[in-house]
Amino acid sequence: MNSNTKRLGFAGGIAALAALVPTPAFAEAPSGADLLLPKMAEFIPALIAFLVIWFVLAKLAWPSILGMMEKRQQKIQDDLDAAANEKVAAEKEHREYQAQIAEARHEADEIVAKAKREAEAERSRILAKAQEEAAATVAKAHDAVSSERRKAMIELSSSVVDLSVEIASKIIGNDLSEEDQRKLAEKYLAEVGTGHDNEA
């Protein structure tokens, strides 16, 4: 048997002994104020039993109860601290997640804006190139038309000169030499060609 068991047995024996102490019998029954006052024969054993029980509880049971209560309180406090730490960690993770989302959105906006700028620049470049090519094509066509026109005018002038010389020789006869007739026709055609160029 350990010391605690011995103490409990000793305390129980004292309490039983106190309960077995005989109480003297009184001839008269209590009445009036005696009912409110405890009898010494009953009060002393009860007081001894109370003190013994209180002593036993104070020495044996009460420390265990206090220890259990302290452990329970400590466990509750640890759980509360753990919950608070988890809440703080969750809030931190939530803030980090929100920051990552905001950064991703910002990067996406930058990518979209860059793509728009590049597309607009490419559109402007293609449009400018198309305009240059169109202008070059128009200029080339204009040059080709002018060249063909000059070529046609030269061929026409040559034909007209020959025809004019032939007609003039038939009308005028031999008064003008063939060279003079050709010069006269070329001069006339040059004046006519200059007039057409001015109109164009």
Side-chain angles (χ1 to χ4, degrees), residues 59-102:
K59 291 295 183 179
L60 301 178
W62 194 246
S64 299
I65 294 172
L66 290 178
M68 291 174 60
M69 292 178 65
E70 289 178 357
K71 289 180 180 179
R72 180 63 178 169
Q73 185 177 3
Q74 185 63 39
K75 185 177 183 304
I76 293 173
Q77 186 63 40
D78 292 341
D79 292 341
L80 291 175
D81 293 340
N85 293 332
E86 290 178 359
K87 181 180 179 181
V88 171
E91 291 177 352
K92 181 180 179 181
E93 290 180 359
H94 180 69
R95 289 193 298 270
E96 292 177 353
Y97 176 72
Q98 292 295 330
Q100 291 176 357
I101 291 177

Side-chain angles (χ1 to χ4, degrees), residues 23-187:
T23 57
F26 292 93
E28 297 180 359
S31 62
D34 292 337
L35 291 174
L36 300 176
L37 297 175
K39 296 179 180 180
M40 295 304 294
E42 296 176 357
F43 176 73
I44 292 175
L47 178 61
I48 293 172
F50 172 76
L51 293 175
V52 169
I53 293 172
W54 180 83
F55 178 78
V56 171
L57 291 176
K59 291 295 183 179
L60 301 178
W62 194 246
S64 299
I65 294 172
L66 290 178
M68 291 174 60
M69 292 178 65
E70 289 178 357
K71 289 180 180 179
R72 180 63 178 169
Q73 185 177 3
Q74 185 63 39
K75 185 177 183 304
I76 293 173
Q77 186 63 40
D78 292 341
D79 292 341
L80 291 175
D81 293 340
N85 293 332
E86 290 178 359
K87 181 180 179 181
V88 171
E91 291 177 352
K92 181 180 179 181
E93 290 180 359
H94 180 69
R95 289 193 298 270
E96 292 177 353
Y97 176 72
Q98 292 295 330
Q100 291 176 357
I101 291 177
E103 184 178 359
R105 287 178 179 172
H106 180 70
E107 291 179 356
D109 292 339
E110 287 292 332
I111 292 172
V112 171
K114 183 179 179 181
K116 287 182 179 179
R117 290 193 299 269
E118 291 178 353
E120 185 64 25
E122 183 67 14
R123 175 179 171 276
S124 299
R125 186 186 67 80
I126 293 173
L127 183 60
K129 184 177 180 181
Q131 290 176 349
E132 291 177 359
E133 291 178 353
T137 302
V138 171
K140 185 176 180 181
H142 183 71
D143 293 340
V145 169
S146 298
S147 177
E148 290 296 327
R149 182 179 177 184
R150 285 193 297 270
K151 183 178 179 182
M153 289 295 294
I154 291 171
E155 292 177 355
L156 181 61
S157 298
S158 178
S159 299
V160 170
V161 167
D162 293 339
L163 183 60
S164 298
V165 169
E166 184 179 353
I167 293 172
S169 63
K170 290 181 179 180
I171 294 174
I172 299 175
N174 294 326
D175 293 340
L176 293 175
S177 64
E178 183 177 351
E179 183 66 24
D180 292 336
Q181 292 175 4
R182 182 175 293 279
K183 288 181 179 180
L184 182 62
E186 288 178 352
K187 181 180 179 182

Side-chain angles (χ1 to χ4, degrees), residues 182-198:
R182 182 175 293 279
K183 288 181 179 180
L184 182 62
E186 288 178 352
K187 181 180 179 182
Y188 173 75
L189 290 175
E191 291 176 355
V192 172
T194 303
H196 282 295
D197 291 339
N198 291 333

